[in-house]
Amino acid sequence: MDLKSNQASPVLTDPAPINKSRLGIPSRLPYTQQAASFSSSKYMTIPRKKPGKLDDVRSNGWLDAMKSSSPPRKKLIKDFNFEVASDDADFAHFSWMLKYPSALNSFEKISNYAKNKKMAIFLDYDGTLSPIVDDPDRAIMSNEMRSAVRNVAKYFPTAIISGRSRDKVYNLVELTELYYAGSHGMDIMGPLSHTLADDHPNCIKSNGQQGKEVKLFQPAQEFLPLIDEVFRTLVEKTKGIEGAKVENHKFCASVHYRNVEEKNWPIIAQCVHDVLKGYPRLRLTHGRKVLEVRPVIDWNKGKAVEFLLESLGLSNRNDVLPIYIGDDRTDEDAFKVLREDNRGYGILVSSVPKETNAFYSLKNPEEVMKFLNSLVTWKQQEESEC
């Protein structure tokens, strides 16, 4: 696989404006702004902060973002101290589905537009191929889902783009025929039958899972010592907070608070905030009940999609249809890329209404599997008619 990259030096930039659709979507486009949700004794005692100590995380919006990162299923509106009636909730969901229709119900429209086009499939892992669980180590994809992904990869270039480390997500998926992009796209490995460009400054050679030489693309290579240092610091600082878990994803560090009592969320947020004060080259982003520390570079899942399309020779072409399926805030960067210039379809996996840059929606991993199986059936039928 040849790569002729024109990637610029990483700098933080604003997203490009969104153009009108050419994807067979009605001219009344969905929202285009950034995603926003509707809005023991064996542990050491957490010291009580002095008044005003937590003002940092309250004033900068961290707590609001933490609360909205995974809204309660039974509540669409929490900010006004009341719950919406079931009829209102049903209406809200109905209205949301009009903006972001089911990719299963819209499959005929999608497949009609995909005729005579080269498709590329991009998939998040947690919440997309596996269910969201309290313990990230137990987020295991089913054998049926693995079979569906394997079959999709037989017909379309397929990549997993996850916030987890690349090695960890590879060990969870266990399919050698895929691309893997870990750390939100900052650590990319192509299929063993392909290579990345020898002359790209961020490409390095390494030994793959089967002992064979592979090429890796790692735009944040210089940040490895820094991430490792901040990971160790976060582990030490949060060890007294019951339920907190810190993971090292190689090019980013994640602080999970899914199992932390909500009354202690300000404590864990302030803890991360205080640690980051000493690392100006790192920044914080929010996922589903997780605080993620990343390098300050202009790289994310959207950039990973663009890089992989380019490396496959599928960029800047009108006969290409990329599809990205994901459930998390971090997937919005990829949704934006596909919406800009109407390059492809983003599909949000969510059972509750929330704003997104995706075009379509699916409720859960079970529906994701049905959609992937439908893609395979459609492609098989298309080839049989040729």
Side-chain angles (χ1 to χ4, degrees):
M1 173 177 63
D2 293 327
L3 169 67
K4 297 179 180 179
S5 176
N6 56 7
Q7 297 287 345
S9 300
V11 292
L12 294 176
T13 59
D14 292 325
I18 297 169
N19 297 330
K20 294 183 178 179
S21 175
R22 61 169 175 80
L23 295 174
I25 300 295
S27 59
R28 177 187 55 76
L29 289 177
Y31 290 104
T32 57
Q33 64 266 30
Q34 289 188 354
S37 300
F38 290 98
S39 308
S40 123
S41 63
K42 68 177 181 177
Y43 291 90
M44 64 181 287
T45 302
I46 300 173
R48 186 179 299 276
K49 299 287 183 177
K50 295 181 180 180
K53 178 61 178 176
L54 300 178
D55 287 347
D56 287 339
V57 295
R58 292 194 175 102
S59 64
N60 63 20
W62 282 24
L63 287 181
D64 289 340
M66 290 170 72
K67 291 178 180 179
S68 66
S69 67
S70 186
R73 293 178 180 272
K74 296 182 180 179
K75 301 178 183 179
L76 287 177
I77 301 177
K78 178 85 173 181
D79 297 336
F80 302 98
N81 296 319
F82 69 92
E83 294 184 29
V84 296
S86 59
D87 289 345
D88 293 335
D90 291 342
F91 178 77
H93 190 267
F94 175 78
S95 300
W96 185 75
M97 291 298 294
L98 289 178
K99 294 179 182 178
Y100 313 107
S102 166
L104 289 175
N105 296 340
S106 306
F107 188 81
E108 184 176 358
K109 179 183 291 186
I110 296 173
S111 60
N112 284 340
Y113 185 76
K115 288 181 179 178
N116 302 317
K117 288 182 171 61
K118 298 179 183 296
M119 293 180 65
I121 308 299
F122 302 93
L123 303 164
D124 183 25
Y125 182 80
D126 292 277
T128 300
L129 301 182
S130 71
I132 293 293
V133 294
D134 290 340
D135 184 356
D137 293 333
R138 296 187 177 183
I140 306 301
M141 68 188 298
S142 66
N143 290 330
E144 292 80 8
M145 180 67 85
R146 182 174 290 102
S147 178
V149 174
R150 179 187 293 110
N151 289 334
V152 163
K154 291 178 182 177
Y155 297 96
F156 316 106
T158 304
I160 308 293
I161 304 182
S162 172
R164 292 176 180 263
S165 71
R166 175 177 50 79
D167 289 340
K168 184 171 291 186
V169 76
Y170 178 92
N171 290 333
L172 289 167
V173 178
E174 297 181 318
L175 296 174
T176 60
E177 54 266 55
L178 308 181
Y179 282 77
Y180 290 89
S183 304
H184 300 290
M186 289 181 283
D187 188 8
I188 302 175
M189 180 182 73
L192 301 184
S193 59
H194 296 75
T195 58
L196 299 176
D198 291 329
D199 58 350
H200 199 286
N202 290 312
C203 285
I204 63 174
K205 294 181 180 180
S206 181
N207 290 324
Q209 298 288 338
Q210 298 179 339
K212 297 180 180 179
E213 184 179 86
V214 296
K215 298 289 181 64
L216 305 177
F217 179 75
Q218 298 176 334
Q221 179 73 22
E222 65 181 288
F223 289 88
L224 277 175
L226 204 59
I227 293 295
D228 188 59
E229 179 182 326
V230 79
F231 163 73
R232 294 196 305 269
T233 302
L234 287 169
V235 169
E236 180 65 25
K237 296 293 185 180
T238 62
K239 66 182 181 181
I241 305 176
E242 183 176 0
K245 181 173 182 176
V246 184
E247 289 189 296
N248 188 340
H249 294 308
K250 192 169 183 175
F251 292 100
C252 61
S254 298
V255 182
H256 297 269
Y257 58 92
R258 180 173 299 276
N259 298 320
V260 176
E261 290 188 35
E262 188 168 343
K263 67 180 182 180
N264 290 330
W265 288 6
I267 305 297
I268 198 167
Q270 189 66 49
C271 176
V272 177
H273 180 275
D274 292 344
V275 170
L276 279 185
K277 282 183 177 179
Y279 298 90
R281 299 181 68 201
L282 301 177
R283 64 188 176 103
L284 179 129
T285 60
H286 295 267
R288 292 182 66 170
K289 292 192 175 178
V290 60
L291 300 173
E292 297 180 306
V293 178
R294 305 197 217 173
V296 180
I297 64 171
D298 184 26
W299 199 267
N300 51 47
K301 290 185 176 182
K303 294 289 186 180
V305 168
E306 291 181 312
F307 176 83
L308 286 167
L309 287 173
E310 184 181 356
S311 66
L312 285 164
L314 300 178
S315 61
N316 301 316
R317 291 174 51 171
N318 293 325
D319 63 340
V320 172
L321 179 62
I323 293 179
Y324 187 106
I325 308 177
D327 75 307
D328 194 66
R329 284 188 175 197
T330 58
D331 299 309
E332 291 295 326
D333 294 315
F335 295 155
K336 288 180 194 175
V337 163
L338 297 190
R339 185 178 278 277
E340 292 165 8
D341 300 324
N342 305 297
R343 301 182 194 181
Y345 292 129
I347 302 177
L348 174 69
V349 184
S350 178
S351 61
V352 298
K354 53 185 177 181
E355 295 304 320
T356 178
N357 287 282
F359 274 112
Y360 294 108
S361 65
L362 292 168
K363 291 181 180 180
N364 48 45
E366 288 73 21
E367 287 200 352
V368 172
M369 185 169 63
K370 290 180 181 178
F371 181 80
L372 297 179
N373 287 333
S374 296
L375 282 177
V376 171
T377 300
W378 166 76
K379 189 63 177 179
Q380 291 172 337
Q381 293 175 345
E382 185 183 58
E383 291 187 351
S384 68
E385 295 172 359
C386 295

